[in-house]
Amino acid sequence: MGVAPMLAAVALVAVAQERRWVTPPRALLVLPILLIALLLAALTQLSWAWGFRLADANQPLTGLAGAWGVLFGLAWLVGAVGIGLGVDGLLYRTRWPWFARLLLALFAGAVAAPALGLSLINPTVSTTTAAVVAVVALRTISGRRVRLSSASVPAKRSRPSDVRGLVLWLTVVSATFGAVGVAYAFTGAGWSSAATDTTIAMGQGITILFAAAIPLLAAIALVVSTRHGRAAVCGPLGLVVLGLTAIAIAYVYAPAGPEMTLWMGLSAALSGTAVAWWSIPRLRGTLLLRVAVGAALGVGYAALFGMTVVPMLAFAVPIAAIVIVIVFTRPRPKDAPIPHGEQAAIPPAFRTTQG
């Protein structure tokens, strides 16, 4: 597994604490639990691989190879506890009663633990996660943030209550069906007649997860379009929906086959086109330069990530839905007064007149 997943987990917790999403004592409690869960996940992966070797050699599964089920259960339990404590910390400032916070924390931990474990033990995903967290951290410490008073900046456009309610409903639907997909992927072979073994159950569970991502993308489109406009959002997200539909169809033919390769290639092409479409209007420079750079980004995404990382992101669907629910239910912090010494740091155009 290496140290990259553990460093990525440390970075995620550090950014959450720095952004005051969780308190320092909560972060110190969550971090070692998550590190232990990742270590158990690595041992689970090693046990699985060693078990395959022994099975191919027609040897009995003894020692580490025979402990796969126990290790997987322990990794899931410990990871669920760590994630549940983090989610409860995020919800602490909301108006939710304690039992509602506890239920959502338990649900989030049980659903997110296998998804994060499978994702972070992959070197590509853990490296990408670390890079994204580094960008967020650099944006945070690049300059001192000044909170302006409510009179000094124009009020943001508030989201209509009907849109807000629709976003919440869509994310709840996505989280629910995403949880069903995760449960089916890991347990479907034991009770579903359509899943003859664990590999087929995993593929069918991923199909359910990608189907569950469609209402989540619709919710994201409603949120983002309030800032960027519907025309700039619906096109790229429409291509992403088509790409997810293609990869959901691909996993119907799992674990292998020419049909699966064909649909995954189509999904990668659609997703790469969406990346290019979204990037070109937001880049700087001449039109020719923006098209060239945007096309390069789209091709690079399709070639490097379209057929490898996207399937693993399926397990992040219920996690993303839960995050959106938390964000939309947290009360917005009230504007704090500006310290006297920081008045000079505010551009003149934003200063208010006194007197």
Side-chain angles (χ1 to χ4, degrees):
M1 179 184 70
V3 298
M6 292 189 174
L7 292 178
V10 172
L12 286 170
V13 175
V15 169
Q17 189 275 322
E18 194 279 334
R19 291 294 183 96
R20 297 181 181 177
W21 295 339
V22 294
T23 61
R26 177 86 59 160
L28 290 175
L29 177 64
V30 168
L31 182 58
I33 296 176
L34 292 182
L35 294 180
I36 293 172
L38 286 174
L39 179 60
L40 289 170
L43 291 174
T44 304
Q45 185 185 40
L46 182 60
S47 173
W48 180 275
W50 187 248
F52 262 108
R53 292 183 181 180
L54 293 180
D56 289 340
N58 293 323
Q59 296 180 6
L61 301 182
T62 58
L64 181 63
W68 180 87
V70 175
L71 290 171
F72 179 79
L74 287 175
W76 193 335
L77 177 61
V78 175
V81 170
I83 294 170
L85 288 172
V87 171
D88 180 70
L90 290 173
L91 294 172
Y92 184 74
R93 295 181 181 177
T94 64
R95 299 175 181 176
W96 289 27
W98 68 268
F99 59 86
R101 296 203 321 263
L102 178 62
L103 288 177
L104 183 57
L106 291 174
F107 173 77
V111 171
L116 286 177
L118 287 173
S119 300
L120 288 179
I121 61 176
N122 180 274
T124 303
V125 176
S126 59
T127 303
T128 304
T129 302
V132 172
V133 172
V135 171
V136 173
L138 287 174
R139 286 176 62 86
T140 301
I141 66 176
S142 58
R144 185 167 50 184
R145 292 178 293 178
V146 178
R147 189 182 298 278
L148 304 179
S149 64
S150 56
S152 61
V153 292
K156 294 182 180 180
R157 290 180 296 173
S158 59
R159 301 185 184 94
S161 58
D162 55 341
V163 172
R164 185 183 182 90
L166 181 58
V167 168
L168 286 174
W169 275 110
L170 288 171
T171 50
V172 168
V173 169
S174 181
T176 302
F177 281 95
V180 172
V182 173
Y184 189 99
F186 288 101
T187 66
W191 53 268
S192 174
S193 59
T196 55
D197 57 36
T198 55
T199 304
I200 293 178
M202 180 65 68
Q204 293 172 348
I206 291 176
T207 296
I208 297 173
L209 282 164
F210 279 122
I214 294 177
L216 177 63
L217 288 174
I220 293 173
L222 289 172
V223 174
V224 179
S225 61
T226 60
R227 176 175 298 182
H228 298 284
R230 292 184 179 180
V233 172
C234 293
L237 279 181
L239 288 177
V240 173
V241 169
L242 292 176
L244 291 182
T245 303
I247 203 167
I249 296 173
Y251 271 88
V252 174
Y253 300 98
E259 297 89 352
M260 185 177 183
T261 304
L262 175 64
W263 284 105
M264 291 190 69
L266 177 61
S267 172
L270 289 169
S271 301
T273 305
V275 170
W277 190 344
W278 179 266
S279 302
I280 289 172
R282 291 163 179 80
L283 295 172
R284 295 181 179 179
T286 63
L287 176 61
L288 181 61
L289 179 61
R290 288 187 283 121
V291 170
V293 174
L297 289 174
V299 171
Y301 171 85
L304 297 176
F305 302 108
M307 296 180 67
T308 55
V309 173
V310 173
M312 287 179 291
L313 294 180
F315 291 95
V317 170
I319 304 172
I322 292 170
V323 168
I324 292 179
V325 170
I326 292 173
V327 169
F328 267 70
T329 53
R330 291 187 71 185
R332 295 181 179 179
K334 296 180 180 179
D335 293 320
I338 307 173
H340 178 73
E342 293 185 1
Q343 181 72 22
I346 304 175
F350 294 103
R351 293 180 187 169
T352 56
T353 351
Q354 303 287 336

